[in-house]
Amino acid sequence: MKINEAQKRAIDFHNGSCMVLAGPGSGKTTVITYRVKTLIEKYGVSPDNILVITFTKAAALEMRERFKGIMRGKHCAVTFGTFHAVYFKILRYAYNYNADNILREEEKYNIIRDIVEDMELDIDDETEFISGIISEISAVKGEMISLDHYYSKNCGEGTFKKIYKKYNDKLIRKNVVDFDDMLVMCYELLSKRPDILRLWQDKYRYILIDEFQDINRVQYEVIKLIAKPRDNLFIVGDDDQSIYSFRGAKPEIMLNFPKDYPGCEEIVLNINYRSTEEIMKAAGRLISHNEKRYKKEIKPVGDNGDSIKIVEARNGMEECMNILHIIDSHIKSGGHYKDIAVLYRTNTNPRLLVEKLMEYNVPFRMKDAVPNIYEHFIAKNIISYIKIAMGGCDRSDYLQIINRPKRYISRQVFTKPYVNLEDIKEAYSDRDYVIDRIDKLQYDLRAIFKMSPYSAINYIRHAVGYEEYLAEYAQYRRIKAEELYDVLDELTEASKEYKTYDEWFLHIENYSKELIRQAKERIKDTDGVELSTMHSAKGLEYDTVIVMDANEGITPHRKAVLSADMEEERRMFYVAVTRARKKLYVLYCKERYGKEQETSRFVGELQ
């Protein structure tokens, strides 16, 4: 196997601290596995004293298998593991913990859900809210932030503090720890017990960390403790690919590493074995717009290759048809579907594309489950309005819509499984303003009955006052109303081609079934176009990459307000384009849902 000069320097590194900046496709796994081999065979280090840390179990297993391969089956007791596995091992020895003491992710979700329901919070998008709260709890623990100084993104500070404390109390009562507690407890244990710390310092004399750009504060603090006093710390990563701030990753830890370890060796793996020169030059131009980074020039060994294709579309529909055309051309020229990946910023982006791929019988696989838009609380509200307008009288449908917008009607008056609005009027006979609102609702329902799905959604949005309700709800949830209007826009657009409610409902049923089927098939290695978020595509590579929705507000995302957020958005786009081996297409729309769209700044930066 041919090893380049920079890789050789890294592999032969012996004692002290070393930072290896590994650009995309630069062979970092080779460097880590061969350095471990060199430590054992050339420098006589005992395999027992070597620790290799990765971020995922799959990466740890792959690394171990690669290492076994180069050792030709020789048994070596090197520890390969994730941060959580290694830190839990330390806790297990100190506190006799076992697997039963670890809180499973689904249990965590259920505990938070029960707390939220007990507190009777007025939350419509419960799943999204709970996921947000779980991320925030993780951030508070992982960054060692005082609860008094934490500003919640999902709800009021008082509410967040209550949820956080109730959650931790529940864990104590159940005698379990979550993954974040594991890290915090490990740090506290090693800080307070020098005797235990010394045991692990003697055990792990050489520490290698992969994907170091994704490390969080508490993970780093524990590693610094274990690495002392030898400081044989070998870190490998790419600050340009740090895209997990929502999980607590802090790229500045890597940027400040030479300050923490003065005199550390710095090695840049700047030869890319994956992509063509055209793709790497464009990626380099793009990422050079970030200020907080290690400057590096990545040199491809591949040929010059095709120029990058920037493709403009009038709207989302035309963008999808352009993607179908690119796929079709690839297949006609003898390629396979699995050579192609379509990448996007969030897992809600490809909804229309999924429908079109289904319609044109193009096989595809999804790395991430695409949330079913018809399961969104907004869609459920709209569908309930339509069902009632069509003569439905289910209590569940009425509860979906009765106070959206506000009609000041209590849930308590819906005592029967089927609703008659005349009975509700009777219950409020002494309140004229409520009667007026029910009369208006009956008038609206009669109007909706005669409409097409597209007209009905527009009517509910504007004439019924549903958008005003969403604006109030967005304020309560500390989110932008535009995010909720986007769901409405997409529903409105998707309903356009259906003339009757029955046609539209049949489409919803078929689409929902296909998403369930896709979720089951996701693991299978079938020949299909890969659909993936930019996050999930990290570490992977494809002959052809299509980046869709390169528009301002999507990528970069509208939530990116601060310069640090914008730099992360650019890193995400960089990760997306550097997945391509041979061909790269970047698509954007001129308008979406009848509104003019701005081309992403990243498109200009690539060029």
Side-chain angles (χ1 to χ4, degrees), residues 103-119 121-139 152-155 159-160 163-164 167 473 477 479:
L103 183 74
R104 293 196 309 277
E105 285 304 300
E106 61 269 27
E107 282 183 274
K108 179 194 271 194
Y109 183 91
N110 292 338
I111 289 171
I112 303 278
R113 188 193 58 206
D114 292 346
I115 291 167
V116 168
E117 284 176 2
D118 285 349
M119 288 171 69
L121 299 176
D122 188 13
I123 302 295
D124 286 328
D125 47 345
E126 191 185 73
T127 308
E128 214 170 288
F129 177 74
I130 293 168
S131 300
I133 292 290
I134 287 171
S135 289
E136 292 199 86
I137 289 172
S138 215
S152 173
K153 299 179 189 77
N154 280 282
C155 54
T159 305
F160 179 74
I163 296 172
Y164 185 93
Y167 169 69
Y473 181 68
R477 271 292 322 280
I479 54 180

Side-chain angles (χ1 to χ4, degrees), residues 377-389:
F377 82 90
I378 291 174
K380 287 180 173 176
N381 291 172
I382 298 290
I383 289 166
S384 288
Y385 265 112
I386 291 170
K387 281 183 176 173
I388 294 168

Side-chain angles (χ1 to χ4, degrees), residues 399-467:
L399 291 178
Q400 281 277 346
I401 61 105
I402 201 64
N403 284 311
R404 293 168 189 163
K406 268 266 178 283
R407 296 188 180 93
Y408 305 98
I409 298 171
S410 166
R411 293 172 71 92
Q412 313 305 322
V413 297
F414 295 93
T415 52
K416 298 172 186 167
Y418 300 107
V419 176
N420 182 336
L421 281 177
E422 296 307 318
D423 294 342
I424 308 299
K425 281 186 188 176
E426 192 65 40
Y428 284 96
S429 56
D430 56 339
R431 276 174 256 182
D432 289 347
Y433 67 95
V434 176
I435 303 286
D436 288 347
R437 280 172 169 78
I438 296 173
D439 285 341
K440 167 77 165 65
L441 172 61
Q442 288 176 311
Y443 172 83
D444 289 335
L445 292 169
R446 285 194 294 273
I448 293 165
F449 174 72
K450 299 170 189 162
M451 295 177 180
S452 67
Y454 177 75
S455 304
I457 296 172
N458 275 313
Y459 186 87
I460 294 163
R461 290 177 74 159
H462 306 295
V464 174
Y466 188 73
E467 277 195 16

